[in-house]
């Protein structure tokens, strides 16, 4: 519950920005062309992710040394402060250029907090409940990453429906960000009940000695693993950010309307949670490598056809988005297992946070910007579909030949 609620808060915060990007662009940027303001909004999203690799590395190291409890309390505070801060910011019309500058600062605060939240929380779940079903346990953490966006989508849809065309002008877009405060306080209360762990608290003299080893010395020999795991998750990272940020904006721009677009987002997250659990069950039964290779091969084959039907009709568009969401969630559990458990306990927090955030910043966070740019240049969603197809192919090949050996089932050797 402690880890799941924290993941819910993280992804609630992260998803709001993508869902409300069109409205934030009007509030915080002053450009005559709406597409330019939207690009600036997405660029702000990327800026907040630039800090994540370094922040995640430092916070992950703190988790290794001082324990999960210390870091998870810190991350929930930072994420909540950043999100509530966005809800309180003056608009561009009120204070000019300082408004987008302060928006970047709030997003950066969010990014620092989120940099280690997922990997440290998931590592905590695995270490506190060791057993024969690790992917199923991770599936619950993945499910929480759907519940947060689901909550964000329900809140956003309810408000956009209630306020209609006056949603932006009435500044009702602030309400979802302010609602992060009670969620964060609940997670903080639960996390204060956790037991301290980490190498500095370890009863073993050897572990306490290992804690004094400098960070980059401790990471020596693990860099190759980190970059292989990044390549393994490339297709999933792009798919995740499309579901979170790009698809809703694309549907609004194609005339589906804000309420219908939010309803589509809710449907994706409703299906995402059980799909994540299914991916965990399949991975424990057949092996993580097989699920990843099969999932990414199917993903690569279907991406261009799925993007080609966006906007043709409501049934076709929803079907395409649902298929994307199901595949993306099925591969998430074994992928997260590889992100975290590919590394030994002494450096797991730092290494897992580093590879997760590098992949997120370099591949995932740039996806909405790349998609918007390609659509503006070509006039079609299909160009981005080809971009995603290539990354899914990279993930499939990497999963087939570079899946971490320590996670292989005997039947996969």
């Amino acid at each position: 519950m402690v880890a799941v609620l924290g993941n819910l808060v993280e992804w609630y915060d992260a998803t709001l920005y993508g869902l409300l990007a069109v409205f934030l662009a009007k509030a915080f940027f002053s450009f005559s062309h709406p597409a330019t303001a939207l690009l600036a909004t997405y660029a702000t999203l990327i800026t907040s992710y630039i800090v994540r690799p370094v922040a995640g590395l430092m916070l992950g190291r703190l988790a290794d040394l001082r324990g999960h409890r210390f870091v998870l309390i810190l991350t929930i505070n930072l994420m909540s402060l950043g999100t509530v801060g966005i809800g309180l910011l003056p608009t561009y019309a009120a204070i000019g250029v300082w408004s987008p500058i302060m928006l970047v600062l709030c997003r950066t605060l969010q990014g620092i907090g989120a940099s280690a939240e997922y990997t440290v929380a998931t590592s905590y779940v695995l270490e506190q409940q060791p057993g024969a079903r690790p992917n199923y346990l991770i599936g619950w953490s993945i499910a929480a990453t759907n519940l947060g966006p689901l909550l964000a989508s329900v809140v956003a849809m309810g408000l956009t429906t209630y306020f209609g065309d006056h949603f932006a002008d009435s500044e009702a877009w602030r309400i979802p960000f302010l609602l992060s405060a009670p969620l964060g306080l609940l997670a903080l209360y639960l996390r204060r009940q956790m037991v301290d762990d980490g190498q500095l608290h370890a009863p073993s003299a050897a572990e306490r000695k290992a804690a004094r080893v400098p960070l980059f010395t401790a990471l020596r020999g693990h860099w190759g693993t980190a970059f292989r795991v990044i390549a393994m998750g490339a297709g999933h990272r792009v798919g995740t950010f499309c579901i979170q940020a790009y698809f809703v904006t694309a549907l609004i721009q194609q005339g589906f309307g804000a309420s219908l677009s939010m309803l589509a987002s809710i449907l994706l997250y409703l299906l995402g949670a059980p799909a994540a659990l299914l991916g965990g069950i399949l991975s424990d039964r057949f092996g993580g490598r097989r699920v990843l290779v099969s999932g990414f091969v199917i993903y690569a084959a279907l991406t261009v056809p799925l993007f080609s039907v966006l906007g043709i009709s409501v049934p076709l568009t929803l079907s395409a988005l649902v298929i994307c969401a199901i595949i993306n969630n099925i591969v998430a559990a074994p992928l997260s297992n590889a992100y975290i458990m590919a590394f030994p306990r002494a450096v797991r927090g730092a290494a897992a946070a580093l590879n997760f955030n590098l992949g997120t910043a370099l591949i995932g966070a740039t996806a909405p910007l790349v998609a918007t740019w390609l659509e503006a240049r070509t006039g079609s969603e299909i160009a981005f579909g080809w971009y995603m197809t290539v990354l899914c192919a990279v993930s499939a090949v990497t999963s087939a030949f570079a899946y971490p050996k320590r996670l292989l089932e005997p039947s996969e050797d």
Side-chain angles (χ1 to χ4, degrees):
M1 177 64 180
V2 174
V4 168
L5 184 58
N7 288 336
L8 186 152
V9 173
E10 174 191 356
W11 292 93
Y12 173 85
D13 294 351
T15 305
L16 277 181
Y17 194 90
L19 287 175
L20 302 178
V22 172
F23 306 103
L24 295 177
K26 295 178 181 179
F28 293 108
F29 296 94
S30 178
F31 293 104
S32 58
H33 198 290
T36 305
L38 188 59
L39 284 171
T41 306
Y42 282 144
T44 301
L45 177 67
I46 295 173
T47 301
S48 70
Y49 280 94
I50 291 176
V51 303
R52 288 183 63 156
V54 175
L57 183 64
M58 298 297 105
L59 290 176
R61 183 58 172 170
L62 277 178
D64 292 332
L65 301 180
R66 297 196 58 174
H68 298 90
R69 177 181 183 273
F70 178 84
V71 171
L72 290 176
I73 288 175
L74 180 60
T75 58
I76 199 69
N77 284 330
L78 291 173
M79 290 188 301
S80 298
L81 286 173
T83 305
V84 173
I86 293 176
L88 297 174
L89 286 182
T91 64
Y92 190 94
I95 60 172
V97 72
W98 286 105
S99 182
I101 292 174
M102 293 172 68
L103 177 65
V104 170
L105 292 176
C106 287
R107 284 294 305 167
T108 301
L109 197 62
Q110 282 180 323
I112 294 173
S115 65
E117 168 65 33
Y118 178 74
T119 53
V120 172
T122 305
S123 178
Y124 175 77
V125 170
L126 292 172
E127 292 180 22
Q128 294 298 313
Q129 302 184 56
R133 306 181 70 188
N135 291 290
Y136 177 67
L137 289 176
I138 294 175
W140 282 103
S141 291
I142 303 296
T145 68
N146 283 275
L147 295 177
L150 174 61
L151 179 60
S153 299
V154 169
V155 171
M157 188 188 76
L159 290 171
T160 53
T161 301
Y162 179 79
F163 286 93
D165 295 336
H166 302 290
F167 180 70
D169 296 335
S170 65
E171 297 197 343
W173 58 265
R174 297 181 183 276
I175 297 175
F177 292 97
L178 297 177
L179 288 177
S180 181
L183 288 174
L185 288 173
L186 176 59
L188 175 61
Y189 170 77
L190 292 175
R191 288 184 170 180
R192 289 178 65 86
Q193 316 308 313
M194 294 172 59
V195 177
D196 280 326
D197 59 356
Q199 290 171 281
L200 294 179
H201 301 283
S204 166
E207 287 186 273
R208 292 196 298 272
K209 181 179 179 181
R212 294 194 293 269
V213 175
L215 171 60
F216 288 96
T217 301
L219 288 174
R220 187 179 300 160
H222 300 294
W223 298 104
T225 301
F227 285 104
R228 285 192 294 272
V229 175
I230 289 173
M232 196 181 304
H236 176 262
R237 295 258 57 81
V238 173
T240 297
F241 276 80
C242 281
I243 294 168
Q244 285 183 344
Y246 178 69
F247 284 152
V248 170
T249 300
L251 293 180
I252 292 174
Q253 290 180 326
Q254 291 178 7
F256 277 69
S259 296
L260 182 58
S261 300
M262 298 295 179
L263 182 61
S265 179
I266 290 172
L267 177 63
L268 299 188
Y269 293 121
L270 276 174
L271 295 173
L277 294 175
L278 174 61
I281 293 170
L282 292 174
S283 299
D284 287 331
R285 175 66 179 85
F286 300 105
R289 177 168 62 179
R290 289 173 180 159
V291 172
L292 287 176
V293 173
S294 301
F296 281 122
V297 167
I298 295 171
Y299 222 170
L302 292 181
T303 298
V304 170
L306 293 179
F307 272 78
S308 67
V309 302
L310 291 182
I312 292 180
S313 69
V314 172
L316 279 175
T317 298
L318 289 181
S319 298
L321 299 185
V322 164
I323 292 171
C324 181
I326 290 175
I327 298 174
N328 207 66
N329 279 280
I330 284 177
V331 301
L335 187 60
S336 294
N337 198 17
Y339 274 142
I340 296 166
M341 301 307 288
F343 305 98
R345 174 66 184 87
V347 296
R348 185 172 296 153
L354 176 65
N355 74 65
F356 180 81
N357 286 294
L358 277 176
T360 299
L362 297 176
I363 303 172
T366 60
L369 184 62
V370 171
T372 303
W373 181 79
L374 286 173
E375 195 278 333
R377 291 294 300 269
T378 66
S380 170
E381 311 288 349
I382 300 178
F384 183 72
W386 283 110
Y387 172 79
M388 187 169 168
T389 295
V390 171
L391 293 182
C392 287
V394 170
S395 294
V397 172
T398 309
S399 299
F401 296 103
Y403 189 78
K405 291 183 179 180
R406 66 167 60 208
L407 299 180
L408 289 175
E409 298 291 334
S411 60
E412 290 188 272
D413 289 341

